[in-house]
Amino acid sequence: MPRVQPVLARALRRTPLLHPDVAHRGGARRPGLKPEQYGPTGSVKDRSAVALVRALHDERPPAPGTAVVESTAGNLALAHLLSAVDCSFLAVIGLKTPPATRRMLAERGARTVVVDEPDGRGGYLLSRLRTVREPCEGNPACRRPDQYENPASPDIHRRTTGRTDRAS
């Protein structure tokens, strides 16, 4: 999929780095702030989505129509990127995912599977993770980025989000 790299590059265009004057303990500080709303979906999750799709591509380039399955509370950035590179996205969400988030996922081409079995810890994460594994077992056309365990996700934040020497 030669168009993956240009799509990823556009998704991570340079975020402006702002340095507002902030009063602090009688003095002034100039922290570096990155307004992530300039990304494709207006979220810092754009960075993680780029890293996860790039990791999938580096491991084995996904063919058009590849199904990517991920547990999420509503990762619109991942849905946006995967549709741009001709992959389908199956978002495994919990019962408490708001209708607006479900609608936005669908608008970006994602299909959803709603997990309604609580995980015993007050949420749905562990049940979602169990559900994600099922369609991918033994199916080479199904890929799982695994945002919770994939080192690409925190690495992109180390390399780009916290950088204060330049905009990125």
Side-chain angles (χ1 to χ4, degrees), residues 51-72:
L52 293 170
V53 172
R54 184 174 287 144
L56 284 177
H57 185 267
D58 290 349
E59 176 187 315
R60 178 174 38 101
T66 295
V68 176
V69 182
E70 184 66 306
S71 165
T72 181

Side-chain angles (χ1 to χ4, degrees), residues 109-157:
R111 291 179 298 127
T112 56
V113 170
V114 179
V115 173
D116 59 3
E117 177 189 336
D119 62 11
R121 293 186 173 181
Y124 296 89
L125 177 61
L126 298 177
S127 299
R128 289 190 338 235
L129 292 173
R130 206 171 25 258
T131 302
V132 165
R133 286 189 283 274
E134 294 167 5
C136 293
E137 288 177 4
N139 183 353
C142 183
R143 306 285 299 279
R144 179 178 176 216
D146 193 2
Q147 67 178 324
Y148 306 107
E149 297 292 329
N150 192 325
S153 187
D155 182 60
I156 198 161
H157 290 289

Side-chain angles (χ1 to χ4, degrees), residues 8 11-12 36 41 43-56 70 75 77-78 81 145-148 150-161:
L8 297 180
L12 258 193
E36 296 292 338
T41 66
S43 169
V44 71
K45 287 189 176 225
D46 289 327
R47 294 177 187 275
S48 294
V50 165
L52 293 170
V53 172
R54 184 174 287 144
L56 284 177
E70 184 66 306
N75 195 328
L78 196 53
L81 273 180
D146 193 2
Q147 67 178 324
Y148 306 107
N150 192 325
S153 187
D155 182 60
I156 198 161
H157 290 289
R158 275 192 290 281
R159 291 184 297 107
T160 67
T161 310

Side-chain angles (χ1 to χ4, degrees), residues 2-96:
R3 57 181 258 157
V4 168
Q5 296 306 336
V7 167
L8 297 180
R10 281 192 309 274
L12 258 193
R13 58 185 175 260
R14 295 170 65 87
T15 304
L17 184 59
L18 308 177
H19 292 282
D21 290 321
V22 177
H24 179 70
R25 296 185 180 176
R29 300 277 195 258
R30 298 195 77 213
L33 303 176
K34 286 188 174 179
E36 296 292 338
Q37 74 264 25
Y38 292 106
T41 66
S43 169
V44 71
K45 287 189 176 225
D46 289 327
R47 294 177 187 275
S48 294
V50 165
L52 293 170
V53 172
R54 184 174 287 144
L56 284 177
H57 185 267
D58 290 349
E59 176 187 315
R60 178 174 38 101
T66 295
V68 176
V69 182
E70 184 66 306
S71 165
T72 181
N75 195 328
L76 302 175
L78 196 53
H80 174 82
L81 273 180
L82 289 169
S83 69
V85 297
D86 298 327
C87 289
S88 63
F89 181 38
L90 180 60
V92 179
I93 61 175
L95 190 60
K96 294 180 181 178

